[in-house]
Amino acid sequence: MDVQEIKQRFGIIGGSPLINRAIDIARQVAPTDITVLITGESGSGKEVFSHIIHQLSARKHGPFIAVNCGAIPEGTIDSELFGHEKGSFTGAHEARKGYFEVVNGGTIFLDEVGELPLGTQARLLRVIESGEYIRVGSSKVQKTDVRVVAATNVEMFDAVKAGKFREDLYYRLNTVPLKIPPLRDRKEDIHLIFRKFVADFSDKYRSPNVVLDEGAIQVLINYGWPGNVRQLKNIAEQIAVLEKNRNITAQSILNYIPNDNRSTLPMRMSQNGSKEDFSERDILYKVLFDMKKDMVELKKLVVDIINHGGGVSKYAENNPQIINSLYEDIEMPDNESTLTIQHPSNVANNRQDDYHMNHQDVEEVEESLSLVDKEADMIKKALKKHKGKRKAASEELGISERTLYRKIKELNLN
Ligand SMILES: Nc1ncnc2c1ncn2[C@@H]1O[C@H](COP(=O)(O)OP(=O)(O)O)[C@@H](O)[C@H]1O
Ligand SMILES: [Mg+2]
């Protein structure tokens, strides 16, 4: 099957060299039993590619299961993947087969593989290398024949360097790396994909097809698409359903996309005044959370340089208090939720231009700045907006489903 036929069969639209190359790699690696690590931003098409690899392999008549490793609570993930014996933990009333047993002869797609706990990583390495696994609560080694395709939307090697992901497993998974380019790197495909989606949705909702003018096309092409093809699809659907005027201009497109091109915020700006929408202030808080994460990363990097590289040691000698505070933050068991930003007002002021906030808004933010409250608030809003669906809510918030699950527990939101 050539690249063109694969596109047809799997509904992949676009002809950019990057996407053609990815399809070609998938086509070549599919018939082997080699483990593939698919990397790419959320919504870029990783799951579609896992189907291609399975369907073009000798295992195509065998089972295929997609597992979102980020969505399964840590306490049950071993049992989900490898099964458990009756009575192996409280609530284990019956023995249960794990995915690796059920999928024997087929392919397992491990999405967000970077989220696996270290213990599970060890089990995974074993089953990939030898086909051997042990059910939770058992001592009997069992065999299975499963091809693993894994995916991640984060830079996995950072996790390796941070000690969160086993290096040996990383190299084992990454035997053949398959990179799915973000939509903004295949601009020539954007209009094509949009047209196809909007035509399909207009068909589905029995609304007349829409026509884009040149300005509208330019807006689509120049936007950064942080949510990639999924976001494009979403907006095409909204336009197909909601736009009364079927001749779409730049302005009508702008009503549907966040008004900050550079932003990778997964949230939509409030645009129709609906209560469920996220306000600019919410977005400011999201920016603060993101910056908090970046800061932790940055601090880790600095510590790393201090420990392993020479150049900074003078700086360290002269500023012992800075170095101490760096270590403090990093050694916190859960820096993501406990690190505090020391000068939020400065942060807010620096960012205000980006988000078109007026001074008054920023002042209000200073008065009521409690990240914990705001975090709880945003989680509630996101859950409400998505009618309690955690997957959708976590996507909107830009956190993994498991982080959302943990935060709901921590913040007592149930
Ligand atoms: N090139 C493409 N052409 C058409 N639809 C695509 C393309 N790439 C992805 N999609 C669609 O975009 C959505 C998101 O893709 P998915 O594989 O779930 O992304 P990821 O797993 O990377 O988050 C799906 O509905 C998928 O069918
Ligand atoms: Mg996905």
PDB file of all heavy atoms in Angstrom, residues 10-14 19 38 40-49 109 111 151 153 180 183 186 189 193 196-197 227-231 233 395, ligand 1:
ATOM      1  N   PHE A  10      -7.237   5.765   5.872  1.00  0.00           N
ATOM      2  CA  PHE A  10      -7.309   6.191   7.264  1.00  0.00           C
ATOM      3  C   PHE A  10      -7.788   7.638   7.409  1.00  0.00           C
ATOM      4  O   PHE A  10      -7.743   8.201   8.499  1.00  0.00           O
ATOM      5  CB  PHE A  10      -5.956   5.991   7.958  1.00  0.00           C
ATOM      6  CG  PHE A  10      -5.581   4.534   8.069  1.00  0.00           C
ATOM      7  CD1 PHE A  10      -4.824   3.923   7.085  1.00  0.00           C
ATOM      8  CD2 PHE A  10      -6.041   3.768   9.137  1.00  0.00           C
ATOM      9  CE1 PHE A  10      -4.498   2.573   7.165  1.00  0.00           C
ATOM     10  CE2 PHE A  10      -5.716   2.427   9.230  1.00  0.00           C
ATOM     11  CZ  PHE A  10      -4.950   1.821   8.247  1.00  0.00           C
ATOM     12  N   GLY A  11      -8.252   8.213   6.316  1.00  0.00           N
ATOM     13  CA  GLY A  11      -8.824   9.563   6.383  1.00  0.00           C
ATOM     14  C   GLY A  11      -7.816  10.630   6.748  1.00  0.00           C
ATOM     15  O   GLY A  11      -8.151  11.615   7.400  1.00  0.00           O
ATOM     16  N   ILE A  12      -6.575  10.437   6.359  1.00  0.00           N
ATOM     17  CA  ILE A  12      -5.566  11.450   6.638  1.00  0.00           C
ATOM     18  C   ILE A  12      -5.505  12.430   5.480  1.00  0.00           C
ATOM     19  O   ILE A  12      -5.341  12.037   4.330  1.00  0.00           O
ATOM     20  CB  ILE A  12      -4.192  10.801   6.857  1.00  0.00           C
ATOM     21  CG1 ILE A  12      -4.253  10.001   8.149  1.00  0.00           C
ATOM     22  CG2 ILE A  12      -3.093  11.860   6.913  1.00  0.00           C
ATOM     23  CD1 ILE A  12      -2.954   9.396   8.541  1.00  0.00           C
ATOM     24  N   ILE A  13      -5.665  13.704   5.826  1.00  0.00           N
ATOM     25  CA  ILE A  13      -5.675  14.716   4.794  1.00  0.00           C
ATOM     26  C   ILE A  13      -4.382  15.511   4.861  1.00  0.00           C
ATOM     27  O   ILE A  13      -3.852  15.756   5.945  1.00  0.00           O
ATOM     28  CB  ILE A  13      -6.889  15.640   4.980  1.00  0.00           C
ATOM     29  CG1 ILE A  13      -8.161  14.790   4.956  1.00  0.00           C
ATOM     30  CG2 ILE A  13      -6.951  16.694   3.892  1.00  0.00           C
ATOM     31  CD1 ILE A  13      -9.293  15.442   5.650  1.00  0.00           C
ATOM     32  N   GLY A  14      -3.888  15.918   3.707  1.00  0.00           N
ATOM     33  CA  GLY A  14      -2.695  16.749   3.671  1.00  0.00           C
ATOM     34  C   GLY A  14      -1.607  16.113   2.839  1.00  0.00           C
ATOM     35  O   GLY A  14      -1.555  14.894   2.715  1.00  0.00           O
ATOM     36  N   ILE A  19       4.205  15.207   6.761  1.00  0.00           N
ATOM     37  CA  ILE A  19       3.194  14.190   7.050  1.00  0.00           C
ATOM     38  C   ILE A  19       3.416  12.979   6.134  1.00  0.00           C
ATOM     39  O   ILE A  19       3.250  11.827   6.557  1.00  0.00           O
ATOM     40  CB  ILE A  19       1.753  14.756   6.964  1.00  0.00           C
ATOM     41  CG1 ILE A  19       0.815  13.935   7.866  1.00  0.00           C
ATOM     42  CG2 ILE A  19       1.181  14.767   5.570  1.00  0.00           C
ATOM     43  CD1 ILE A  19       0.995  14.184   9.318  1.00  0.00           C
ATOM     44  N   ILE A  38       5.604   7.111  19.263  1.00  0.00           N
ATOM     45  CA  ILE A  38       5.063   8.220  18.478  1.00  0.00           C
ATOM     46  C   ILE A  38       5.095   9.474  19.340  1.00  0.00           C
ATOM     47  O   ILE A  38       4.536   9.480  20.435  1.00  0.00           O
ATOM     48  CB  ILE A  38       3.612   7.932  18.053  1.00  0.00           C
ATOM     49  CG1 ILE A  38       3.499   6.556  17.378  1.00  0.00           C
ATOM     50  CG2 ILE A  38       3.088   9.023  17.143  1.00  0.00           C
ATOM     51  CD1 ILE A  38       2.070   6.175  17.009  1.00  0.00           C
ATOM     52  N   GLY A  40       4.397  13.697  19.516  1.00  0.00           N
ATOM     53  CA  GLY A  40       3.691  14.778  18.833  1.00  0.00           C
ATOM     54  C   GLY A  40       2.772  15.464  19.814  1.00  0.00           C
ATOM     55  O   GLY A  40       2.368  14.872  20.820  1.00  0.00           O
ATOM     56  N   GLU A  41       2.441  16.713  19.509  1.00  0.00           N
ATOM     57  CA  GLU A  41       1.576  17.467  20.398  1.00  0.00           C
ATOM     58  C   GLU A  41       0.178  16.848  20.432  1.00  0.00           C
ATOM     59  O   GLU A  41      -0.193  16.091  19.540  1.00  0.00           O
ATOM     60  CB  GLU A  41       1.482  18.922  19.906  1.00  0.00           C
ATOM     61  CG  GLU A  41       2.783  19.660  20.030  1.00  0.00           C
ATOM     62  CD  GLU A  41       2.685  21.085  19.502  1.00  0.00           C
ATOM     63  OE1 GLU A  41       1.574  21.552  19.179  1.00  0.00           O
ATOM     64  OE2 GLU A  41       3.743  21.722  19.410  1.00  0.00           O
ATOM     65  N   SER A  42      -0.551  17.209  21.442  1.00  0.00           N
ATOM     66  CA  SER A  42      -1.912  16.737  21.576  1.00  0.00           C
ATOM     67  C   SER A  42      -2.728  17.126  20.335  1.00  0.00           C
ATOM     68  O   SER A  42      -2.634  18.246  19.863  1.00  0.00           O
ATOM     69  CB  SER A  42      -2.507  17.359  22.839  1.00  0.00           C
ATOM     70  OG  SER A  42      -3.854  17.030  22.919  1.00  0.00           O
ATOM     71  N   GLY A  43      -3.495  16.169  19.814  1.00  0.00           N
ATOM     72  CA  GLY A  43      -4.360  16.458  18.670  1.00  0.00           C
ATOM     73  C   GLY A  43      -3.672  16.417  17.328  1.00  0.00           C
ATOM     74  O   GLY A  43      -4.274  16.746  16.302  1.00  0.00           O
ATOM     75  N   SER A  44      -2.406  15.986  17.296  1.00  0.00           N
ATOM     76  CA  SER A  44      -1.681  16.026  16.025  1.00  0.00           C
ATOM     77  C   SER A  44      -1.900  14.765  15.189  1.00  0.00           C
ATOM     78  O   SER A  44      -1.551  14.740  14.011  1.00  0.00           O
ATOM     79  CB  SER A  44      -0.185  16.246  16.269  1.00  0.00           C
ATOM     80  OG  SER A  44       0.332  15.237  17.099  1.00  0.00           O
ATOM     81  N   GLY A  45      -2.455  13.709  15.787  1.00  0.00           N
ATOM     82  CA  GLY A  45      -2.772  12.509  15.006  1.00  0.00           C
ATOM     83  C   GLY A  45      -2.051  11.247  15.475  1.00  0.00           C
ATOM     84  O   GLY A  45      -1.991  10.272  14.733  1.00  0.00           O
ATOM     85  N   LYS A  46      -1.541  11.252  16.696  1.00  0.00           N
ATOM     86  CA  LYS A  46      -0.768  10.092  17.175  1.00  0.00           C
ATOM     87  C   LYS A  46      -1.602   8.818  17.179  1.00  0.00           C
ATOM     88  O   LYS A  46      -1.148   7.754  16.756  1.00  0.00           O
ATOM     89  CB  LYS A  46      -0.217  10.364  18.589  1.00  0.00           C
ATOM     90  CG  LYS A  46       0.754  11.531  18.650  1.00  0.00           C
ATOM     91  CD  LYS A  46       1.353  11.694  20.018  1.00  0.00           C
ATOM     92  CE  LYS A  46       0.356  12.114  21.070  1.00  0.00           C
ATOM     93  NZ  LYS A  46      -0.257  13.431  20.807  1.00  0.00           N
ATOM     94  N   GLU A  47      -2.852   8.949  17.641  1.00  0.00           N
ATOM     95  CA  GLU A  47      -3.678   7.749  17.735  1.00  0.00           C
ATOM     96  C   GLU A  47      -4.010   7.193  16.356  1.00  0.00           C
ATOM     97  O   GLU A  47      -4.024   5.973  16.151  1.00  0.00           O
ATOM     98  CB  GLU A  47      -4.952   8.057  18.534  1.00  0.00           C
ATOM     99  CG  GLU A  47      -5.719   6.806  18.887  1.00  0.00           C
ATOM    100  CD  GLU A  47      -6.566   6.962  20.149  1.00  0.00           C
ATOM    101  OE1 GLU A  47      -6.427   7.971  20.865  1.00  0.00           O
ATOM    102  OE2 GLU A  47      -7.364   6.051  20.406  1.00  0.00           O
ATOM    103  N   VAL A  48      -4.244   8.081  15.416  1.00  0.00           N
ATOM    104  CA  VAL A  48      -4.499   7.636  14.042  1.00  0.00           C
ATOM    105  C   VAL A  48      -3.326   6.782  13.550  1.00  0.00           C
ATOM    106  O   VAL A  48      -3.509   5.724  12.943  1.00  0.00           O
ATOM    107  CB  VAL A  48      -4.686   8.852  13.103  1.00  0.00           C
ATOM    108  CG1 VAL A  48      -4.942   8.390  11.687  1.00  0.00           C
ATOM    109  CG2 VAL A  48      -5.817   9.740  13.581  1.00  0.00           C
ATOM    110  N   PHE A  49      -2.126   7.243  13.845  1.00  0.00           N
ATOM    111  CA  PHE A  49      -0.943   6.511  13.386  1.00  0.00           C
ATOM    112  C   PHE A  49      -0.811   5.153  14.072  1.00  0.00           C
ATOM    113  O   PHE A  49      -0.317   4.200  13.471  1.00  0.00           O
ATOM    114  CB  PHE A  49       0.332   7.351  13.575  1.00  0.00           C
ATOM    115  CG  PHE A  49       0.593   8.254  12.405  1.00  0.00           C
ATOM    116  CD1 PHE A  49      -0.068   9.460  12.276  1.00  0.00           C
ATOM    117  CD2 PHE A  49       1.479   7.879  11.406  1.00  0.00           C
ATOM    118  CE1 PHE A  49       0.140  10.291  11.180  1.00  0.00           C
ATOM    119  CE2 PHE A  49       1.708   8.698  10.305  1.00  0.00           C
ATOM    120  CZ  PHE A  49       1.037   9.898  10.190  1.00  0.00           C
ATOM    121  N   PHE A 109      -1.747   0.049  22.352  1.00  0.00           N
ATOM    122  CA  PHE A 109      -1.314   1.436  22.173  1.00  0.00           C
ATOM    123  C   PHE A 109      -1.273   2.099  23.539  1.00  0.00           C
ATOM    124  O   PHE A 109      -2.310   2.252  24.185  1.00  0.00           O
ATOM    125  CB  PHE A 109      -2.282   2.169  21.238  1.00  0.00           C
ATOM    126  CG  PHE A 109      -1.993   3.646  21.098  1.00  0.00           C
ATOM    127  CD1 PHE A 109      -0.738   4.098  20.709  1.00  0.00           C
ATOM    128  CD2 PHE A 109      -2.987   4.585  21.343  1.00  0.00           C
ATOM    129  CE1 PHE A 109      -0.469   5.457  20.578  1.00  0.00           C
ATOM    130  CE2 PHE A 109      -2.729   5.946  21.205  1.00  0.00           C
ATOM    131  CZ  PHE A 109      -1.470   6.376  20.829  1.00  0.00           C
ATOM    132  N   ASP A 111      -0.911   5.275  25.288  1.00  0.00           N
ATOM    133  CA  ASP A 111      -0.893   6.716  25.109  1.00  0.00           C
ATOM    134  C   ASP A 111      -0.408   7.376  26.400  1.00  0.00           C
ATOM    135  O   ASP A 111      -0.634   6.843  27.478  1.00  0.00           O
ATOM    136  CB  ASP A 111      -2.317   7.189  24.767  1.00  0.00           C
ATOM    137  CG  ASP A 111      -2.318   8.515  24.029  1.00  0.00           C
ATOM    138  OD1 ASP A 111      -1.230   9.084  23.827  1.00  0.00           O
ATOM    139  OD2 ASP A 111      -3.409   8.975  23.659  1.00  0.00           O
ATOM    140  N   ALA A 151       2.940   6.371  22.851  1.00  0.00           N
ATOM    141  CA  ALA A 151       2.877   7.757  22.391  1.00  0.00           C
ATOM    142  C   ALA A 151       3.097   8.709  23.548  1.00  0.00           C
ATOM    143  O   ALA A 151       2.817   8.379  24.712  1.00  0.00           O
ATOM    144  CB  ALA A 151       1.527   8.045  21.735  1.00  0.00           C
ATOM    145  N   ASN A 153       3.169  13.209  24.382  1.00  0.00           N
ATOM    146  CA  ASN A 153       3.136  14.583  23.876  1.00  0.00           C
ATOM    147  C   ASN A 153       4.128  15.453  24.641  1.00  0.00           C
ATOM    148  O   ASN A 153       4.099  16.660  24.550  1.00  0.00           O
ATOM    149  CB  ASN A 153       1.725  15.177  23.963  1.00  0.00           C
ATOM    150  CG  ASN A 153       1.165  15.122  25.364  1.00  0.00           C
ATOM    151  OD1 ASN A 153       1.891  14.844  26.308  1.00  0.00           O
ATOM    152  ND2 ASN A 153      -0.107  15.391  25.516  1.00  0.00           N
ATOM    153  N   ILE A 180       5.136  13.116  14.777  1.00  0.00           N
ATOM    154  CA  ILE A 180       4.015  13.712  14.055  1.00  0.00           C
ATOM    155  C   ILE A 180       4.147  15.232  14.168  1.00  0.00           C
ATOM    156  O   ILE A 180       4.143  15.762  15.279  1.00  0.00           O
ATOM    157  CB  ILE A 180       2.659  13.257  14.648  1.00  0.00           C
ATOM    158  CG1 ILE A 180       2.627  11.749  14.881  1.00  0.00           C
ATOM    159  CG2 ILE A 180       1.518  13.703  13.743  1.00  0.00           C
ATOM    160  CD1 ILE A 180       2.810  10.929  13.649  1.00  0.00           C
ATOM    161  N   LEU A 183       0.473  20.995  13.593  1.00  0.00           N
ATOM    162  CA  LEU A 183      -0.224  21.545  12.430  1.00  0.00           C
ATOM    163  C   LEU A 183       0.457  22.818  11.915  1.00  0.00           C
ATOM    164  O   LEU A 183       0.507  23.062  10.710  1.00  0.00           O
ATOM    165  CB  LEU A 183      -1.674  21.832  12.819  1.00  0.00           C
ATOM    166  CG  LEU A 183      -2.653  22.086  11.690  1.00  0.00           C
ATOM    167  CD1 LEU A 183      -2.633  20.986  10.655  1.00  0.00           C
ATOM    168  CD2 LEU A 183      -4.057  22.278  12.239  1.00  0.00           C
ATOM    169  N   ARG A 186       2.844  22.402   9.158  1.00  0.00           N
ATOM    170  CA  ARG A 186       2.378  21.950   7.837  1.00  0.00           C
ATOM    171  C   ARG A 186       1.240  22.864   7.396  1.00  0.00           C
ATOM    172  O   ARG A 186       0.104  22.427   7.188  1.00  0.00           O
ATOM    173  CB  ARG A 186       1.964  20.475   7.852  1.00  0.00           C
ATOM    174  CG  ARG A 186       1.375  19.996   9.160  1.00  0.00           C
ATOM    175  CD  ARG A 186       0.989  18.525   9.135  1.00  0.00           C
ATOM    176  NE  ARG A 186       0.838  18.023  10.491  1.00  0.00           N
ATOM    177  CZ  ARG A 186      -0.187  17.295  10.917  1.00  0.00           C
ATOM    178  NH1 ARG A 186      -1.135  16.949  10.093  1.00  0.00           N
ATOM    179  NH2 ARG A 186      -0.248  16.887  12.175  1.00  0.00           N
ATOM    180  N   ASP A 189      -1.315  22.381   4.659  1.00  0.00           N
ATOM    181  CA  ASP A 189      -2.415  21.422   4.804  1.00  0.00           C
ATOM    182  C   ASP A 189      -3.640  21.997   5.515  1.00  0.00           C
ATOM    183  O   ASP A 189      -4.722  21.404   5.495  1.00  0.00           O
ATOM    184  CB  ASP A 189      -1.946  20.192   5.600  1.00  0.00           C
ATOM    185  CG  ASP A 189      -0.929  19.364   4.826  1.00  0.00           C
ATOM    186  OD1 ASP A 189      -0.819  19.567   3.596  1.00  0.00           O
ATOM    187  OD2 ASP A 189      -0.262  18.521   5.454  1.00  0.00           O
ATOM    188  N   ILE A 193      -7.496  20.580   5.198  1.00  0.00           N
ATOM    189  CA  ILE A 193      -8.120  19.805   6.272  1.00  0.00           C
ATOM    190  C   ILE A 193      -9.395  20.494   6.741  1.00  0.00           C
ATOM    191  O   ILE A 193     -10.436  19.865   6.942  1.00  0.00           O
ATOM    192  CB  ILE A 193      -7.141  19.631   7.464  1.00  0.00           C
ATOM    193  CG1 ILE A 193      -5.858  18.917   7.003  1.00  0.00           C
ATOM    194  CG2 ILE A 193      -7.796  18.836   8.582  1.00  0.00           C
ATOM    195  CD1 ILE A 193      -4.812  18.761   8.102  1.00  0.00           C
ATOM    196  N   LYS A 196     -12.289  19.951   4.360  1.00  0.00           N
ATOM    197  CA  LYS A 196     -12.846  18.601   4.441  1.00  0.00           C
ATOM    198  C   LYS A 196     -13.747  18.477   5.677  1.00  0.00           C
ATOM    199  O   LYS A 196     -14.867  17.979   5.600  1.00  0.00           O
ATOM    200  CB  LYS A 196     -11.686  17.603   4.519  1.00  0.00           C
ATOM    201  CG  LYS A 196     -12.110  16.178   4.771  1.00  0.00           C
ATOM    202  CD  LYS A 196     -12.696  15.551   3.494  1.00  0.00           C
ATOM    203  CE  LYS A 196     -12.847  14.043   3.610  1.00  0.00           C
ATOM    204  NZ  LYS A 196     -14.035  13.624   4.319  1.00  0.00           N
ATOM    205  N   PHE A 197     -13.253  18.967   6.811  1.00  0.00           N
ATOM    206  CA  PHE A 197     -14.038  18.871   8.045  1.00  0.00           C
ATOM    207  C   PHE A 197     -15.344  19.643   7.930  1.00  0.00           C
ATOM    208  O   PHE A 197     -16.421  19.157   8.292  1.00  0.00           O
ATOM    209  CB  PHE A 197     -13.246  19.422   9.235  1.00  0.00           C
ATOM    210  CG  PHE A 197     -12.170  18.504   9.732  1.00  0.00           C
ATOM    211  CD1 PHE A 197     -11.039  19.015  10.363  1.00  0.00           C
ATOM    212  CD2 PHE A 197     -12.274  17.124   9.593  1.00  0.00           C
ATOM    213  CE1 PHE A 197     -10.041  18.177  10.834  1.00  0.00           C
ATOM    214  CE2 PHE A 197     -11.282  16.278  10.064  1.00  0.00           C
ATOM    215  CZ  PHE A 197     -10.158  16.808  10.684  1.00  0.00           C
ATOM    216  N   GLY A 227      -3.923  23.193  19.713  1.00  0.00           N
ATOM    217  CA  GLY A 227      -4.637  21.917  19.839  1.00  0.00           C
ATOM    218  C   GLY A 227      -4.622  21.109  18.539  1.00  0.00           C
ATOM    219  O   GLY A 227      -5.309  20.101  18.415  1.00  0.00           O
ATOM    220  N   ASN A 228      -3.845  21.607  17.561  1.00  0.00           N
ATOM    221  CA  ASN A 228      -3.604  20.879  16.318  1.00  0.00           C
ATOM    222  C   ASN A 228      -4.860  20.453  15.570  1.00  0.00           C
ATOM    223  O   ASN A 228      -5.835  21.186  15.575  1.00  0.00           O
ATOM    224  CB  ASN A 228      -2.658  19.708  16.597  1.00  0.00           C
ATOM    225  CG  ASN A 228      -1.290  20.213  16.975  1.00  0.00           C
ATOM    226  OD1 ASN A 228      -0.577  20.755  16.160  1.00  0.00           O
ATOM    227  ND2 ASN A 228      -0.943  20.104  18.261  1.00  0.00           N
ATOM    228  N   VAL A 229      -4.841  19.278  14.929  1.00  0.00           N
ATOM    229  CA  VAL A 229      -5.961  18.900  14.060  1.00  0.00           C
ATOM    230  C   VAL A 229      -7.261  18.785  14.857  1.00  0.00           C
ATOM    231  O   VAL A 229      -8.330  19.142  14.377  1.00  0.00           O
ATOM    232  CB  VAL A 229      -5.660  17.576  13.327  1.00  0.00           C
ATOM    233  CG1 VAL A 229      -6.781  17.256  12.350  1.00  0.00           C
ATOM    234  CG2 VAL A 229      -4.334  17.658  12.586  1.00  0.00           C
ATOM    235  N   ARG A 230      -7.147  18.345  16.113  1.00  0.00           N
ATOM    236  CA  ARG A 230      -8.362  18.225  16.924  1.00  0.00           C
ATOM    237  C   ARG A 230      -9.035  19.575  17.103  1.00  0.00           C
ATOM    238  O   ARG A 230     -10.265  19.695  17.005  1.00  0.00           O
ATOM    239  CB  ARG A 230      -8.035  17.603  18.285  1.00  0.00           C
ATOM    240  CG  ARG A 230      -9.285  17.395  19.148  1.00  0.00           C
ATOM    241  CD  ARG A 230      -8.992  16.754  20.481  1.00  0.00           C
ATOM    242  NE  ARG A 230      -8.528  15.396  20.351  1.00  0.00           N
ATOM    243  CZ  ARG A 230      -7.321  14.981  20.700  1.00  0.00           C
ATOM    244  NH1 ARG A 230      -6.455  15.834  21.215  1.00  0.00           N
ATOM    245  NH2 ARG A 230      -6.979  13.728  20.561  1.00  0.00           N
ATOM    246  N   GLN A 231      -8.229  20.600  17.351  1.00  0.00           N
ATOM    247  CA  GLN A 231      -8.776  21.945  17.531  1.00  0.00           C
ATOM    248  C   GLN A 231      -9.378  22.472  16.230  1.00  0.00           C
ATOM    249  O   GLN A 231     -10.447  23.082  16.224  1.00  0.00           O
ATOM    250  CB  GLN A 231      -7.663  22.881  18.026  1.00  0.00           C
ATOM    251  CG  GLN A 231      -8.164  24.269  18.393  1.00  0.00           C
ATOM    252  CD  GLN A 231      -7.025  25.227  18.692  1.00  0.00           C
ATOM    253  OE1 GLN A 231      -5.856  24.945  18.404  1.00  0.00           O
ATOM    254  NE2 GLN A 231      -7.361  26.374  19.264  1.00  0.00           N
ATOM    255  N   LYS A 233     -10.640  20.706  13.858  1.00  0.00           N
ATOM    256  CA  LYS A 233     -11.873  19.954  13.644  1.00  0.00           C
ATOM    257  C   LYS A 233     -13.009  20.545  14.468  1.00  0.00           C
ATOM    258  O   LYS A 233     -14.129  20.733  13.988  1.00  0.00           O
ATOM    259  CB  LYS A 233     -11.625  18.493  14.075  1.00  0.00           C
ATOM    260  CG  LYS A 233     -12.690  17.520  13.666  1.00  0.00           C
ATOM    261  CD  LYS A 233     -12.213  16.099  13.945  1.00  0.00           C
ATOM    262  CE  LYS A 233     -13.160  15.072  13.382  1.00  0.00           C
ATOM    263  NZ  LYS A 233     -12.609  13.697  13.517  1.00  0.00           N
ATOM    264  N   GLU A 395      -8.316  18.055  29.187  1.00  0.00           N
ATOM    265  CA  GLU A 395      -7.746  18.584  27.950  1.00  0.00           C
ATOM    266  C   GLU A 395      -7.861  20.098  27.926  1.00  0.00           C
ATOM    267  O   GLU A 395      -6.925  20.806  27.578  1.00  0.00           O
ATOM    268  CB  GLU A 395      -8.457  17.981  26.730  1.00  0.00           C
ATOM    269  CG  GLU A 395      -7.760  16.727  26.259  1.00  0.00           C
ATOM    270  CD  GLU A 395      -8.559  15.980  25.199  1.00  0.00           C
ATOM    271  OE1 GLU A 395      -9.443  16.576  24.564  1.00  0.00           O
ATOM    272  OE2 GLU A 395      -8.285  14.767  25.019  1.00  0.00           O
TER     273      GLU A 395
HETATM  274  N1  LIG B   1      -4.030  14.592   8.863  1.00  0.00           N
HETATM  275  C1  LIG B   1      -5.271  14.459   9.359  1.00  0.00           C
HETATM  276  N2  LIG B   1      -6.336  14.550   8.549  1.00  0.00           N
HETATM  277  C2  LIG B   1      -7.576  14.436   9.022  1.00  0.00           C
HETATM  278  N3  LIG B   1      -7.887  14.213  10.301  1.00  0.00           N
HETATM  279  C3  LIG B   1      -6.865  14.088  11.162  1.00  0.00           C
HETATM  280  C4  LIG B   1      -5.507  14.202  10.749  1.00  0.00           C
HETATM  281  N4  LIG B   1      -4.720  14.041  11.824  1.00  0.00           N
HETATM  282  C5  LIG B   1      -5.542  13.857  12.870  1.00  0.00           C
HETATM  283  N5  LIG B   1      -6.835  13.873  12.501  1.00  0.00           N
HETATM  284  C6  LIG B   1      -8.012  13.803  13.378  1.00  0.00           C
HETATM  285  O1  LIG B   1      -7.744  14.695  14.448  1.00  0.00           O
HETATM  286  C7  LIG B   1      -8.231  14.168  15.675  1.00  0.00           C
HETATM  287  C8  LIG B   1      -7.113  14.053  16.670  1.00  0.00           C
HETATM  288  O2  LIG B   1      -6.229  13.005  16.287  1.00  0.00           O
HETATM  289  P1  LIG B   1      -5.599  11.984  17.341  1.00  0.00           P
HETATM  290  O3  LIG B   1      -4.935  10.889  16.596  1.00  0.00           O
HETATM  291  O4  LIG B   1      -6.610  11.584  18.369  1.00  0.00           O
HETATM  292  O5  LIG B   1      -4.508  12.956  18.001  1.00  0.00           O
HETATM  293  P2  LIG B   1      -3.536  12.661  19.246  1.00  0.00           P
HETATM  294  O6  LIG B   1      -3.626  11.202  19.562  1.00  0.00           O
HETATM  295  O7  LIG B   1      -2.196  13.080  18.767  1.00  0.00           O
HETATM  296  O8  LIG B   1      -4.035  13.536  20.368  1.00  0.00           O
HETATM  297  C9  LIG B   1      -8.887  12.848  15.329  1.00  0.00           C
HETATM  298  O9  LIG B   1     -10.254  13.079  15.146  1.00  0.00           O
HETATM  299  C10 LIG B   1      -8.216  12.453  14.022  1.00  0.00           C
HETATM  300  O10 LIG B   1      -9.057  11.640  13.251  1.00  0.00           O
END
